[in-house]
């Protein structure tokens, strides 16, 4: 049923139809209408405007008086590992006792720990608990999300994860994008033969995933003790053959030259970027590759934050994601991630909102469908109580401001 939302205190994140990613200074721009209305038709935004020009109520339109509440485009989260078998708070205690992420992984924790648990888990249970997490994300105002495989680490278990993600796509009202992250860690069986595992992923996993339509993107963890720049380029090329764009993990702990190579090979996004050298920053300038920063991961691991301010100042397009996963970012909270981006990475509130909405949508290739308030886009909205200003959103960190989420024209 069509809905007419009236008395919106402030409608923010308004875009022209077809408006896409924002780069550099453009990220300071947030269009808004105070005292607004918005009309949905089916799953989409049909129109919006100022209350002074409210359209006549027509039959068949449900009127919802928002009584001054603020309306944002629902948040988009373009980098998560939401499908996992179990939390890892044992490693959290190890971390509190002084072990680093690398030391925890070397002691049998980390990604291999998650993989061992996921390999044993039944697909139906994996789906059930992932669906619950996705619903929690929606309740926090998330309307579109990318979810990676990468805790399977065998052909069968990577496919199992991707089938779970496909089922989430089919059953959730959140827009879900799937990424094949076969090269997330070197499985124990391949400890002394990494090349054989890389070949398995490139020659068998990616072609099968493409044939079954199980992924939208490919990814690889390009890092010391994980996968090289050369491995990353091979994955990007393998994805290219099937029209699967690349979103890659680079520069989390070490700058290996992965940013430049990813940009040169047309990656959709480069993610993490905590350790950036001049050549990495230069590579991003003028490119359409989205720099995706993961402040929750820096907060939780106590590692440096990506130099987001410097990237925006150099004209780069920047997105914020949660990196939600049990090992390096056990929280998906979009409001908290925006606050961290402002407080720790010196984004302005307008930049953080663009980074968490339209640019985050662009980082998963769905900016034409979601990420802003525009006619014909999905009616995906995050509603907060009346706020004193946009700045209040990241300022009052930890306070939950989103009170309702609309997805595809329906309040969840
Ligand atoms: O993005 N860095 C690689 N992958 C994840 C962490 C995965 C894990 O620790 O389970 C990340 O931080
Ligand atoms: Fe990640």
């Amino acid at each position: 049923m069509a809905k007419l939302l009236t008395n919106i205190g402030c409608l923010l994140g308004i875009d022209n139809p077809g408006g896409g990613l924002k780069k550099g200074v453009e990220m300071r721009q947030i269009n808004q209408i105070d005292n607004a209305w918005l009309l949905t038709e089916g799953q989409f935004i049909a129109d919006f405007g100022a209350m002074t020009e409210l359209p006549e109520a027509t039959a068949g339109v449900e009127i919802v008086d928002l009584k001054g509440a603020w309306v944002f485009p629902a948040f988009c989260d373009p980098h998560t590992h939401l499908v996992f078998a179990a939390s890892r708070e044992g490693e959290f205690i190890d971390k509190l006792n002084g072990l680093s992420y690398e030391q925890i992984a070397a002691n049998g924790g980390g990604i291999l720990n998650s993989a061992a648990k996921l390999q044993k888990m039944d697909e139906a249970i994996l789906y059930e608990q992932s669906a619950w997490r996705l619903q929690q994300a929606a309740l926090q105002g998330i309307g579109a999300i990318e979810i990676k495989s990468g805790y399977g680490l065998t052909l069968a278990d990577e496919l199992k994860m991707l089938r779970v993600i496909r089922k989430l796509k089919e059953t959730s009202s959140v827009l879900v994008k799937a990424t094949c992250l076969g090269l997330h860690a070197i499985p124990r069986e391949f400890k002394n033969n990494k090349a054989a595992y890389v070949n398995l992923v490139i020659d068998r996993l990616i072609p099968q995933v493409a044939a079954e339509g199980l992924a939208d993107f490919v990814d690889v963890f390009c890092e010391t003790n994980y996968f090289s720049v050369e491995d990353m380029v091979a994955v990007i090329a393998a994805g290219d053959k099937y029209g699967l764009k690349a979103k890659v993990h680079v520069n989390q702990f070490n700058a290996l030259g992965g940013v430049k190579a990813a940009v040169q090979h047309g990656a959709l996004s480069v993610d993490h970027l905590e350790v950036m050298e001049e050549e990495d920053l230069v590579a991003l300038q003028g490119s359409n590759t989205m720099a995706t920063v993961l402040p929750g991961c820096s907060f939780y691991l106590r590692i440096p934050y990506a130099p987001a301010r410097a990237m925006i100042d150099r004209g780069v397009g920047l997105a914020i994601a949660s990196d939600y996963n049990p090992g390096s970012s056990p929280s998906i909270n979009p409001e908290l991630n925006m606050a961290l981006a402002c407080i720790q990475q010196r984004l302005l509130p307008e930049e953080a909102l663009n980074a968490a909405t339209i640019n985050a949508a662009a980082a998963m290739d769905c900016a034409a469908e979601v990420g802003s308030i525009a006619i014909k886009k999905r009616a995906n909205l995050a509603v907060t109580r009346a706020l004193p200003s946009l700045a209040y959103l990241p300022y009052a960190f930890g306070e939950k401001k989103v009170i309702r989420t609309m997805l595809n024209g329906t309040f969840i």
Side-chain angles (χ1 to χ4, degrees), residues 341-356:
C342 292
I343 297 163
Q344 298 287 351
Q345 297 175 294
R346 293 180 41 231
L347 263 62
L348 296 169
E350 293 80 6
E351 293 170 331
L353 183 59
N354 278 316

Side-chain angles (χ1 to χ4, degrees), residues 181-196:
L181 173 54
L183 297 189
H184 195 195
I186 304 164
R188 285 207 181 87
E189 315 81 85
F190 291 90
K191 199 173 163 215
N192 299 313
N193 194 2
K194 186 192 78 170

Side-chain angles (χ1 to χ4, degrees), residues 292-372:
T292 301
V293 300
L294 314 170
C297 174
S298 295
F299 175 70
Y300 178 78
L301 291 184
R302 260 185 260 109
I303 62 174
Y305 286 82
R309 179 75 268 144
M311 291 192 271
I312 294 175
D313 289 346
R314 287 177 186 233
V316 171
L318 189 114
I320 299 170
S322 69
D323 196 20
Y324 181 41
N325 77 78
S328 70
S329 186
S331 162
I332 202 164
N333 192 327
E335 292 184 45
L336 180 61
N337 285 319
M338 282 174 64
L340 289 172
C342 292
I343 297 163
Q344 298 287 351
Q345 297 175 294
R346 293 180 41 231
L347 263 62
L348 296 169
E350 293 80 6
E351 293 170 331
L353 183 59
N354 278 316
T357 55
I358 189 66
N359 280 7
M364 47 182 161
D365 233 357
C366 54
E369 260 183 282
V370 292
S372 61

Side-chain angles (χ1 to χ4, degrees), residues 79-81 148 181 184 219 249 272 294 323 325 328:
H79 180 140
T80 83
H81 307 252
K148 301 173 192 296
L181 173 54
H184 195 195
D219 191 353
H249 285 72
H272 272 291
L294 314 170
D323 196 20
N325 77 78
S328 70

